[in-house]
Amino acid sequence: MAGSVEGELAEAVFVEADRQARDVPGLPLLVLRAAAEAAGKVGDQAVAEHYQKLRDAERQRIDAALARKQDAKPRSRGVLRCRSRSGLTPLL
């Protein structure tokens, strides 16, 4: 990668992406996936691995947050009913 205009531009972009990533935690998974692919395309395996690790960590963070959200949901104990003129009517 070193020496080529494309490589120098890619390196500058990755440096800026890392700088901004410190200011914007939880970059979207798609952005991290694209950065890993871009690094691979310009032949910078170390940078590709760096973004793959960030991508994997973000995926784990998302999965953990979803699991916590599922655990926090109230459990239904069945169908609630109320009396109406015609008898029992389901509320849920």
Side-chain angles (χ1 to χ4, degrees), residues 1-75:
M1 181 168 100
S4 73
V5 172
E6 182 181 70
E8 290 175 17
L9 177 59
E11 187 175 339
V13 169
F14 294 135
V15 167
E16 179 62 15
D18 280 341
R19 186 187 71 74
Q20 290 198 24
R22 287 188 297 272
D23 297 334
V24 183
L27 282 174
L29 193 57
L30 181 63
V31 172
L32 296 171
R33 187 178 303 142
E37 289 175 18
K41 285 181 182 179
V42 297
D44 194 330
Q45 191 59 34
V47 172
E49 289 173 6
H50 167 73
Y51 284 110
Q52 288 166 355
K53 287 178 186 176
L54 292 176
R55 178 202 61 204
D56 293 346
E58 178 62 7
R59 176 80 261 167
Q60 289 175 348
R61 186 195 68 76
I62 290 169
D63 290 345
L66 289 173
R68 282 191 305 273
K69 187 174 182 178
Q70 285 294 86
D71 289 343
K73 281 187 178 178
R75 303 280 191 243

